Amino acid sequence: MSEERFGEFVLVRRHEQGRVAELVLDRPKAMNAVSTEMARSLSGACTALGEDRDVRAVVLTSTHERAFCVGADLKERNSFSDADLLRQRPVTRAAYTGVLELPVPTLAAVHGFALGGGFELALACDVIVADRTAVVGLPEVSVGVIPGGGGTQLLPRRVGAARAAELIFSARRVEAVEASELGLVDQLVDEGRDREEALALAGRIAGNSPVGLRAAKRALRLGQGLDLRAGLEVEDAAWRTTAFSGDRAEGVAAFNERRKPQWPGE
């Protein structure tokens, strides 16, 4: 396993011969509250991972024992002028969109508190694996703002408009079992096993075609919100990028030869 640090608060670990990247939130003294510096580092790490053709899956994790991420650093913001807040906005927005726009499957491994921007980072992932200590929520209206890291758009796509409205307007925190029942998280695992289970799932995902994984994610993401006819056109375009690829040829050959494929990734 290799490691690379992006600034003081973000770490990238590589597993499975580099095919699985673990994107680690590492600001434990602040329960991973997203400061300007941390946001800039997260954005930089996502840019690097997005450009790495060896990476087939990314798992977002935390080094804090009791929190995934508690959202924006309100202590830092308490000293901000309006101009400071305005200058920070594109930096923090780039961090959330950086995770959202990763071209490979992404998983969040959530334990403890995932609140506000912390839950939005998880929502930006394709799959959320949470352990039984998880507490999630978007409490921004209770401090005078709104979810600004994608929450107002990502949450209704998960749970529907009315449920998202109730959760956002009430600012309530949701514990793990209810979060699983409502679809706020996708897999509920035993306490302390969120990272292990998310990395295991990422390892299984990474065994599949790199070309296929990226194309499937592109079709899933671009097709959201479109009518069926338009969505099928998105799917067809993604299919065409795989149909004439080296991965497709290798996949068919390996199936017929009853062996494990050796993906060329092109």
Side-chain angles (χ1 to χ4, degrees):
M1 180 179 67
S2 64
E3 293 188 349
E4 180 181 5
R5 186 165 287 279
F6 290 79
E8 185 179 355
F9 304 128
V10 175
L11 181 67
V12 171
R13 298 178 179 136
R14 296 178 186 269
H15 307 265
E16 303 283 344
Q17 292 79 49
R19 294 192 296 267
V20 173
E22 183 182 359
L23 181 58
V24 187
L25 305 177
D26 187 28
R27 195 186 178 205
K29 291 182 179 180
M31 300 180 82
N32 290 328
V34 181
S35 63
T36 305
E37 181 183 349
M38 185 174 178
R40 190 174 286 113
S41 297
L42 186 57
S43 177
C46 287
T47 297
L49 291 173
E51 294 172 351
D52 189 338
R53 300 297 297 186
D54 291 332
V55 174
R56 301 182 191 176
V58 173
V59 181
L60 185 60
T61 69
S62 160
T63 58
H64 197 283
E65 293 182 356
R66 295 187 295 108
F68 174 72
C69 173
V70 294
D73 186 342
L74 297 184
K75 290 184 179 179
E76 178 187 56
R77 287 193 181 180
N78 192 47
S79 66
F80 277 8
S81 66
D82 289 351
D84 292 332
L85 187 60
L86 192 60
R87 279 192 294 270
Q88 188 201 44
R89 175 61 175 166
V91 178
T92 54
R93 189 175 181 187
Y96 296 108
T97 56
V99 176
L100 183 64
E101 294 177 358
L102 282 167
V104 297
T106 54
L107 301 86
V110 174
H111 59 267
F113 297 111
L115 301 173
F119 188 38
E120 288 174 304
L121 287 173
L123 289 171
C125 296
D126 299 302
V127 178
I128 301 175
V129 178
D131 82 356
R132 293 183 178 276
T133 69
V135 179
V136 305
L138 296 176
E140 284 87 347
V141 298
S142 70
V143 292
V145 290
I146 69 165
T152 65
Q153 305 305 303
L154 295 170
L155 188 58
R157 283 168 166 78
R158 271 187 165 266
V159 299
R163 179 67 69 190
E166 181 266 316
L167 292 167
I168 290 171
F169 295 160
S170 69
R172 73 183 179 94
R173 299 180 178 190
V174 183
E175 296 188 0
V177 172
E178 185 185 3
S180 178
E181 292 170 349
L182 295 179
L184 299 175
V185 304
D186 302 302
Q187 293 187 18
L188 186 61
V189 301
D190 291 339
E191 181 176 345
R193 291 186 57 84
D194 53 293
R195 176 178 177 269
E196 181 180 350
E197 295 290 345
L199 284 171
L201 177 54
R204 294 194 294 274
I205 290 170
N208 295 315
S209 158
V211 173
L213 289 171
R214 287 173 179 251
K217 176 159 182 174
R218 189 162 61 249
L220 285 163
R221 285 293 177 91
L222 293 179
Q224 287 183 8
L226 300 179
D227 63 50
L228 179 58
R229 186 180 297 275
L232 290 173
E233 290 301 317
V234 168
E235 180 182 83
D236 185 66
W239 175 84
R240 290 174 185 276
T241 66
T242 64
F244 309 105
S245 69
D247 275 13
R248 197 276 313 170
E250 168 62 10
V252 172
F255 177 84
N256 284 285
E257 295 166 15
R258 299 183 180 181
R259 60 175 174 80
K260 187 177 180 179
Q262 301 297 314
W263 304 114
E266 57 185 23

